[in-house]
């Protein structure tokens, strides 16, 4: 059975899967530099189609991308050529032989199944991150996931022999949002169907902040997608964490 993202890679642009990365990546690097970060070696954890990798490589960074989807890595390879290192690995158990100055993980960690998985990722990143260097990641808020599911059942794309239907549901007890995709593609006058889904989870921001600190990081900033500092209870669909590896 194809991996979820091997299927989603075929409709990547039509469902706007990579829209967040090109807007936010340069702004995050600028924000890190304004917070006294310096460095050249960057790891993109859950790099997807390589949109962040492309920008980083174009601006002189030595970049590695890790993703579990072969199809997504093929897209990243096509986008970046030989300018980056790509590895097909699970972010829960990845191998990075060289220490890095920055780990970036966008639109990825809210797919983890539990806070225990967050802890595992935080510990792995801590192991390969140089002291005082940064780890930047984003998570959906509960409010943000509720907003996603309110779009209901939609025709997301219907053009050039490709029809994409989406259905959203939300588990309020477990704070899980599921978006199901039904894909019809016309090939040689026949319609072929594929089904997949993307499952996102939300966790209390305070719980993630406490876990980050227990795993050996100092919090530099917590902010919203507009890069304004986040206050508990603030209305926002995502929260971004900028943390650095403690020297203690």
């Amino acid at each position: 059975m194809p991996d979820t993202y091997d299927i989603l890679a075929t409709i990547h642009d039509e469902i706007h899967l990579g829209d967040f990365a090109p807007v936010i990546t340069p702004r995050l690097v600028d924000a890190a530099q304004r917070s006294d970060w310096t460095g050249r070696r960057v790891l993109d954890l859950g790099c997807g189609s390589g949109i962040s990798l492309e920008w980083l490589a174009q601006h002189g960074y030595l970049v590695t991308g890790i993703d579990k989807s072969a199809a997504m890595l093929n897209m990243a390879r096509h986008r970046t050529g030989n300018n980056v290192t790509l590895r097909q690995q699970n972010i829960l158990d990845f191998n990075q032989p060289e220490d890095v100055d920055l780990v970036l993980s966008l639109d990825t960690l809210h797919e983890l199944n539990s806070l225990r998985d967050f802890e595992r990722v935080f510990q792995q990143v801590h192991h390969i991150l140089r002291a005082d260097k940064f780890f930047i990641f984003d998570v959906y808020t509960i409010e943000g996931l509720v907003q996603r599911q309110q779009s209901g059942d939609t025709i997301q794309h219907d053009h050039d022999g490709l029809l994409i239907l989406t259905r959203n549901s939300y588990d309020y007890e477990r704070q899980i949002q599921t978006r199901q995709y039904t894909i019809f593609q016309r090939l040689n006058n026949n319609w072929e169907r594929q089904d997949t889904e993307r499952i996102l989870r939300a966790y209390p921001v305070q719980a993630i902040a406490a876990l980050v600190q227990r795993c050996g990081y100092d919090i530099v900033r917590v902010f919203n997608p507009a890069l304004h500092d986040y206050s508990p209870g603030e209305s926002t669909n995502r929260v971004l964490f900028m943390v650095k590896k403690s020297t203690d």
Side-chain angles (χ1 to χ4, degrees):
M1 175 179 291
D3 177 85
T4 293
Y5 276 92
D6 287 348
I7 296 175
L8 291 179
T10 66
I11 57 171
H12 180 276
D13 294 339
E14 288 79 9
I15 63 174
H16 309 287
L17 196 58
D19 284 4
F20 186 59
V23 175
I24 201 69
T25 299
R27 300 184 68 199
L28 291 177
V29 173
D30 179 68
Q33 291 170 338
R34 291 174 182 272
S35 297
D36 297 326
W37 173 82
T38 58
R40 290 193 65 207
R41 292 192 176 276
V42 182
L43 174 66
D44 187 349
L45 200 57
C47 65
S49 65
I51 295 173
S52 294
L53 294 174
E54 181 181 28
W55 186 90
L56 290 162
Q58 289 174 346
H59 287 79
Y61 294 97
L62 304 176
V63 190
T64 299
I66 289 176
D67 203 280
K68 69 176 182 178
S69 167
M72 285 293 183
L73 288 174
N74 284 337
M75 293 180 69
R77 190 170 291 108
H78 179 75
R79 184 187 301 276
T80 60
N82 297 319
N83 295 324
V84 303
T85 300
L86 299 173
R87 297 194 179 97
Q88 185 179 2
Q89 297 177 345
N90 191 315
I91 67 168
L92 290 172
D93 187 23
F94 65 89
N95 176 36
Q96 168 62 24
E98 297 176 324
D99 289 349
V100 297
D101 303 309
L102 172 67
V103 176
L104 186 67
S105 189
L106 298 177
D107 206 15
T108 297
L109 298 191
H110 30 241
E111 298 192 28
L112 296 176
N113 291 324
S114 65
L115 285 174
R116 183 170 295 179
D117 284 348
F118 269 87
E119 182 175 15
R120 187 170 173 179
V121 171
F122 291 167
Q123 289 172 342
Q124 293 224 104
V125 169
H126 191 276
H127 180 69
I128 56 97
L129 194 62
R130 293 188 174 118
D132 278 334
K133 298 305 181 181
F134 284 21
F135 177 25
I136 303 175
F137 63 92
D138 72 308
V139 292
Y140 269 102
T141 61
I142 294 172
E143 176 188 2
L145 288 193
V146 171
Q147 289 174 355
R148 275 178 60 89
Q149 74 93 21
Q150 288 176 344
S151 61
D153 299 349
T154 63
I155 299 174
Q156 190 153 351
H157 183 87
D158 185 7
H159 188 63
D160 291 338
L162 179 64
L163 173 64
I164 305 170
L165 309 176
T166 61
R167 171 170 290 183
N168 295 286
S169 60
Y170 194 78
D171 184 331
Y172 285 88
E173 182 176 346
R174 296 186 295 163
Q175 309 300 346
I176 297 175
Q177 194 267 337
T178 302
R179 178 165 293 175
Q180 298 171 315
Y181 297 89
T182 302
I183 307 158
F184 294 95
Q185 189 166 15
R186 189 170 58 204
L187 299 170
N188 299 322
N189 295 320
N190 295 314
W191 286 92
E192 294 189 0
R193 172 174 173 166
Q194 285 186 300
D195 296 280
T196 192
E197 62 184 16
R198 190 176 184 215
I199 301 172
L200 306 182
R201 294 168 172 81
Y203 302 92
V205 174
Q206 296 91 332
I208 295 176
L211 184 59
V212 161
Q213 292 171 308
R214 287 204 303 271
C215 289
Y217 300 90
D218 297 323
I219 295 177
V220 179
R221 288 186 63 193
V222 181
F223 44 90
N224 61 29
L227 270 63
H228 299 147
D229 289 337
Y230 170 79
S231 300
E234 172 189 329
S235 177
T236 182
N237 66 334
R238 299 185 195 226
V239 170
L240 294 106
F241 283 83
M242 179 184 293
V243 304
K244 68 177 179 179
K245 182 175 178 178
S246 303
T247 56
D248 296 339

